[in-house]
Amino acid sequence: QVQLVESGGGSVQAGGFLRLSCAASGKAFSTYCMGWFRQAPGKEREGVAEIDSDGTTSYADSVKGRFTISKDNAKNILYLEMNSLKPEDSAMYYCAAGLNICQPPPETYGGIWHEPGAGYDYWGQGTQVTVSS
């Protein structure tokens, strides 16, 4: 049973920076596909970023160049560094773990994951990010 605990959300001004963390309890963290997702009120869940077991990363076009996903295998922690934040980035952010290989990168589908979360087995509770103008 993989448990995920997220932290680091908050309120910032546009152009600001936040670093989200997700601590995982699984015994095989380094083998997981790990991802970050977000959902704003009234909107569908959106895939944000993904990191494979070998460290390969993928990003939605909307955040590419601004967000960075990374992991510390020794500490079982997943990170999402968010720079140049925009009001449209405001959402509840979730981390997730998949026991199998990651989904193909969003460029395969034209820049976004059309079924965000597919292939993921465990989810965190979410952390709120609010960006004001």
Side-chain angles (χ1 to χ4, degrees), residues 99-121:
L99 303 183
N100 300 299
I101 61 172
C102 288
Q103 298 298 301
E107 40 265 51
T108 303
Y109 315 106
I112 63 171
W113 286 284
H114 293 275
E115 295 187 44
Y120 287 87
D121 303 291

Side-chain angles (χ1 to χ4, degrees), residues 4-5 53 77-78 99-100 103 105 111 125:
L4 305 172
V5 180
S53 58
I77 300 178
L78 175 75
L99 303 183
N100 300 299
Q103 298 298 301
Q125 79 288 349

Side-chain angles (χ1 to χ4, degrees), residues 3-86:
Q3 296 179 6
L4 305 172
V5 180
E6 297 151 311
S7 61
S11 298
V12 297
Q13 294 289 112
F17 169 85
L18 280 175
R19 186 196 197 206
L20 307 183
S21 299
C22 175
S25 66
K27 299 184 69 175
F29 175 79
S30 64
T31 71
Y32 301 154
C33 171
M34 300 296 299
W36 286 99
F37 301 83
R38 66 187 183 186
Q39 188 168 23
K43 293 187 176 182
E44 297 295 316
R45 183 170 62 195
E46 179 185 8
V48 176
E50 193 173 67
I51 185 166
D52 212 338
S53 58
D54 65 357
T56 301
T57 59
S58 301
Y59 300 90
D61 282 354
S62 60
V63 306
K64 194 170 186 177
R66 299 188 297 120
F67 291 11
T68 302
I69 187 172
S70 63
K71 61 178 180 177
D72 186 334
N73 287 331
K75 296 182 178 180
N76 277 25
I77 300 178
L78 175 75
Y79 300 101
L80 183 68
E81 296 180 321
M82 304 183 292
N83 287 290
S84 302
L85 283 162
K86 305 174 180 179

